[in-house]
Amino acid sequence: MPSSIARPLVDSLIHEVICKEHDIATYVPDPGTGLTGFDQAVSLALKRVRDLDVTTTWASASTAGAPSDPLPSDPDWSGGSLYVDERESVVPASPERLWTVIEGIGGGNGWYSWRLGWWARGLLDRLFGGPGLRRGRRNPRDLSVGDPLDWWRVEEIEDHKLLRLRAEMRLPGLAWLELVVDHDDEGSTVFRQRALFHPHGLPGHLYWWAIKPFHGLVFGGMQRNIASAATAGH
């Protein structure tokens, strides 16, 4: 949790939080089976966690970007800078198998890439008040639009075709990661991967060129390892 939220929460502990009146029953009657006690409420919540049936979590909260923010799908003539790291490979596995690996990315499954680099970047993000890698996933096998995924959030998903993640880490710009399952003219499975960055001013441009030398380790490694995982499970 960012320090800007954690500090006020800790400060608020001096206030009484146990409700001693029940005026709300005047407007919202108690359920026929009676109120749910604390022990039962905790038991029901833990059961939902075990059953992977959690509707929302604290990590689900997100402030949507401004309508004027650029998108990866914007045409070139819309203006602004958009840096792209694009990679593509033919994968000797079925599209379904490749999609299973892609949809399971992040959280406990990791990012199929330079572990030390991801860990260090996550730690740096937390030091500056970002989420880092601690949010994990809502469900280890399934993703939906709006789900938090470590320092990313699912912006768009098309089953067996496209996963687009929008970065929520501290950055001098906007960033996305697109993972696409496609096929070529010969019917082979093709894995397309794009990392996109829209810089905010000079700091954004400097940031992109500073990390560009590491793209081979981070994004190149991700491309190869996801393909290898899909092939191994074919």
Side-chain angles (χ1 to χ4, degrees):
M1 181 178 295
S3 58
S4 59
I5 296 177
R7 287 194 184 98
L9 285 176
V10 173
D11 291 341
S12 72
L13 294 177
I14 63 173
H15 301 291
E16 178 65 63
V17 296
I18 300 175
C19 181
K20 294 186 171 63
E21 47 81 16
H22 199 56
D23 294 349
I24 192 173
T26 305
Y27 308 97
V28 183
D30 292 346
T33 55
L35 299 176
T36 302
F38 176 78
D39 292 339
Q40 184 185 2
V42 172
S43 177
L44 291 171
L46 293 176
K47 182 177 185 303
R48 287 215 166 188
V49 172
R50 289 193 298 270
D51 295 344
L52 301 178
D53 189 31
V54 178
T55 305
T56 61
T57 69
W58 287 106
S60 299
S62 174
T63 302
S68 59
D69 279 352
L71 293 173
S73 55
D74 287 347
D76 293 339
W77 47 260
S78 61
S81 300
L82 186 65
Y83 292 116
V84 181
D85 181 283
E86 193 163 8
R87 300 170 190 269
E88 176 182 313
S89 62
V90 175
V91 181
S94 67
E96 292 76 17
R97 176 56 194 166
L98 177 58
W99 178 255
T100 297
V101 177
I102 289 175
E103 192 174 21
I105 200 169
N109 296 325
W111 290 90
Y112 296 91
S113 185
W114 184 28
R115 289 181 179 271
L116 178 61
W118 283 84
W119 175 84
R121 184 62 182 87
L123 178 61
L124 182 65
D125 189 53
R126 289 187 62 178
L127 290 176
F128 284 91
L133 295 172
R134 57 189 164 172
R135 295 192 304 191
R137 299 173 51 114
R138 173 187 59 85
N139 184 301
R141 295 183 296 274
D142 179 68
L143 289 175
S144 300
V145 172
D147 278 357
L149 187 57
D150 292 325
W151 64 49
W152 305 91
R153 189 170 298 274
V154 179
E155 183 173 84
E156 184 176 351
I157 186 168
E158 296 180 36
D159 278 344
H160 301 93
K161 292 183 179 180
L162 166 69
L163 174 63
R164 180 188 296 151
L165 306 175
R166 181 176 178 134
E168 294 187 338
M169 68 183 89
R170 300 294 186 184
L171 287 172
L174 303 174
W176 296 267
L177 177 64
E178 286 186 346
L179 306 175
V180 177
V181 178
D182 203 351
H183 58 82
D184 58 19
D185 294 337
E186 299 178 356
S188 300
T189 302
V190 176
F191 174 31
R192 306 184 196 280
Q193 175 184 299
R194 291 203 307 166
L196 306 102
F197 182 67
H198 174 76
H200 287 169
L202 180 60
H205 290 278
L206 293 176
Y207 172 82
W208 173 264
W209 290 108
I211 65 171
K212 187 174 176 59
F214 301 99
H215 284 186
L217 284 172
V218 177
F219 298 122
M222 179 184 295
Q223 174 83 17
R224 293 188 299 271
N225 293 333
I226 288 179
S228 297
T231 302
H234 179 55

